[in-house]
Amino acid sequence: MKNITRVALITSGGDCQGLNAAMRGIGKALHNKIENLEIFGMYDGYRGLIEGDYKFMEPKDFAGILTQGGTILGTSRQRYVPGKDIVDENGNSLIPAMKDTYNKLNLDCLVIMGGNGTQKSAKLLMDAGMNVVTLPKTIDNDIWGTDTTFGFQSAVDIATNVIDYIHSTASSHSRVFLVELMGRDAGWLTLHAGIGSGADIILIPEIPYDIDNILKAIDHRRRHGRSFSILAVAEGAKSVHDQILTEEESRRRREESKHSTISYEIAAQIEAALGQEARVTVPGHYQRGGPPCPYDRVLATQFGTAAADLIVNKQYGRMVAIQNGHIVSIPLEEAASKTKFLPTYHPLIQVARDIGISFGDK
Ligand code: F6P
């Protein structure tokens, strides 16, 4: 009797555009390449693997989902103890339960689609003896070892569009607008959307700002006939004073502040110092919603078929990636080792400075 290849698909962590396109790529390519195949879809990320909650996926399940946002399998976030464990609310390890499901289903491989945290937790599953192949997905673009991730370009499109629309109302009212964008502790999304939409000031976590420089940039625009200003602000942006705070101190500082996010705080500082109306727009999860843009559909399909190749060749413990336009794979160990922050020497930062965009640092 011929061996059956058994694969489980998992979408984990925050969703993003392109997850269904990636699963479609994996499913279709695997069905084309492997004769005896069973694909299981785990519900709600690791929860499905922990509880043995899954569906058997047939070829028809991979049809008609290319353009669909979100994930048809659902997703969830699990508690991750850095480099050590995935635990429940009482601190008990969930890895044995996952391994149990893996063994019961007689799986050959887990295909895990996730962001930075998921790559790290997938490495723990690999260390526990499970075969794992991962795909990099996130709007934050902060996964080490890949030039980009699917979801990122779609979020850039949305964020750019939000700032485009803000321009006309900012100009009509001669107001300052702060558009706060996602990205956690990385500034990729804000930098790209800021340049793409013609923002005047871009604040990213990797370049701490001084409020006086922001005020100077706005005032300079006013004195040169620009009555409005637009700031693209990363949710993780920090002032030079706050950059020295530990994670815990930053959290406490935000809790104690009367401003719910950094943008509201900066808006209040601008109004107080310049007497100009400042408004905040936070598109939030809107940036992760809706259909993937064509670039992400293509990228997710490329990643999906590359993941299928890894499975066919039994090359486990790897993350598919794109480097210099080529689809490659790298050891999961490497992908999980660091976070890909925006280097301050990145050419796009210089491009922005060349056209007069301020980062609030000078
Ligand atoms: O990592 C993706 C992301 O959208 C970040 O940009 C953001 O900080 C976070 O997830 C939001 O998390 P949640 O969906 O759990 O609110």
Side-chain angles (χ1 to χ4, degrees):
M1 202 186 91
K2 268 197 185 163
N3 275 345
I4 299 177
T5 302
R6 293 190 178 85
V7 171
L9 304 186
I10 297 174
T11 55
S12 171
D15 73 343
C16 73
Q17 305 89 338
L19 280 165
N20 294 322
M23 285 194 269
R24 172 179 173 270
I26 300 165
K28 286 192 178 231
L30 281 179
H31 276 292
N32 279 331
K33 288 170 194 244
I34 301 178
E35 214 178 302
N36 286 318
L37 173 73
E38 283 179 357
I39 303 182
F40 303 90
M42 296 291 148
Y43 285 122
D44 302 335
Y46 288 135
R47 188 196 65 76
L49 188 62
I50 295 160
E51 297 175 12
D53 189 12
Y54 58 85
K55 71 180 266 187
F56 181 70
M57 296 183 85
E58 297 175 54
K60 70 173 170 45
D61 290 313
F62 298 106
I65 57 171
L66 174 65
T67 62
Q68 214 175 305
T71 157
I72 54 168
L73 292 178
T75 186
S76 61
R77 291 193 192 279
Q78 299 294 330
R79 266 213 227 162
Y80 167 73
V81 184
K84 291 201 174 71
D85 214 341
I86 304 166
V87 296
D88 65 14
E89 61 283 358
N90 301 315
N92 299 318
S93 179
L94 294 165
I95 295 178
M98 293 197 240
K99 198 157 182 192
D100 200 38
T101 306
Y102 182 94
N103 289 334
K104 271 191 193 139
L105 290 176
N106 204 5
L107 293 173
D108 289 287
C109 181
L110 300 172
V111 185
I112 305 176
M113 283 145 271
N116 208 5
T118 296
Q119 302 302 329
K120 292 183 167 75
S121 45
K123 154 114 183 5
L124 294 179
L125 303 193
M126 178 181 92
D127 294 342
M130 291 171 251
N131 292 329
V132 173
V133 163
T134 70
L135 284 79
K137 69 93 216 176
T138 168
I139 65 165
D140 303 343
N141 191 31
D142 61 351
I143 300 180
W144 187 261
T146 186
D147 293 344
T148 193
T149 54
F150 61 85
F152 173 62
Q153 195 55 55
S154 303
V156 168
D157 289 0
I158 293 171
T160 303
N161 192 253
V162 170
I163 303 179
D164 281 350
Y165 274 57
I166 289 293
H167 257 97
S168 58
T169 177
S171 154
S172 307
H173 286 268
S174 297
R175 281 172 170 163
V176 174
F177 263 89
L178 296 92
V179 181
E180 185 170 298
L181 303 175
M182 279 186 169
R184 222 177 270 275
D185 297 318
W188 297 100
L189 175 53
T190 304
L191 178 67
H192 281 253
I195 294 177
S197 62
D200 307 300
I201 298 170
I202 295 177
L203 304 180
I204 55 175
E206 293 87 347
I207 305 181
Y209 67 85
D210 183 327
I211 187 66
D212 288 338
N213 294 327
I214 296 175
L215 299 175
K216 234 178 8 189
I218 297 170
D219 192 48
H220 180 266
R221 280 178 55 78
R222 286 201 304 194
R223 282 188 288 106
H224 289 80
R226 300 295 201 171
S227 62
F228 73 96
S229 287
I230 296 192
L231 285 79
V233 183
E235 62 182 350
K238 282 187 178 62
S239 73
V240 279
H241 305 293
D242 287 350
Q243 67 163 326
I244 49 163
L245 301 181
T246 62
E247 215 174 291
E248 177 56 23
E249 286 168 337
S250 295
R251 200 185 47 78
R252 215 167 329 117
R253 166 146 147 51
R254 183 62 44 222
E255 273 171 13
E256 284 163 8
S257 160
K258 58 177 190 290
H259 306 293
S260 55
T261 72
I262 191 68
S263 299
Y264 286 96
E265 183 174 310
I266 300 169
Q269 289 171 310
I270 292 169
E271 288 198 344
L274 300 178
Q276 185 170 4
E277 280 185 316
R279 295 284 189 272
V280 176
T281 295
V282 185
H285 291 79
Y286 182 62
Q287 293 162 96
R288 276 185 3 206
C293 66
Y295 178 87
D296 278 340
R297 294 177 200 182
V298 175
L299 183 67
T301 305
Q302 285 177 293
F303 281 168
T305 57
D309 283 340
L310 290 177
I311 295 164
V312 169
N313 298 321
K314 301 190 182 348
Q315 283 182 277
Y316 305 125
R318 302 187 74 79
M319 180 186 83
V320 298
I322 184 163
Q323 292 179 350
N324 301 318
H326 298 284
I327 302 295
V328 297
S329 71
I330 63 166
L332 180 54
E333 211 163 21
E334 191 186 325
S337 66
K338 311 186 216 186
T339 300
K340 187 186 72 181
F341 296 112
L342 185 50
T344 48
Y345 53 81
H346 194 282
L348 262 189
I349 293 180
Q350 192 51 48
V351 165
R353 290 198 198 273
D354 285 349
I355 57 165
I357 293 176
S358 165
F359 286 88
D361 59 332
K362 358 185 154 154

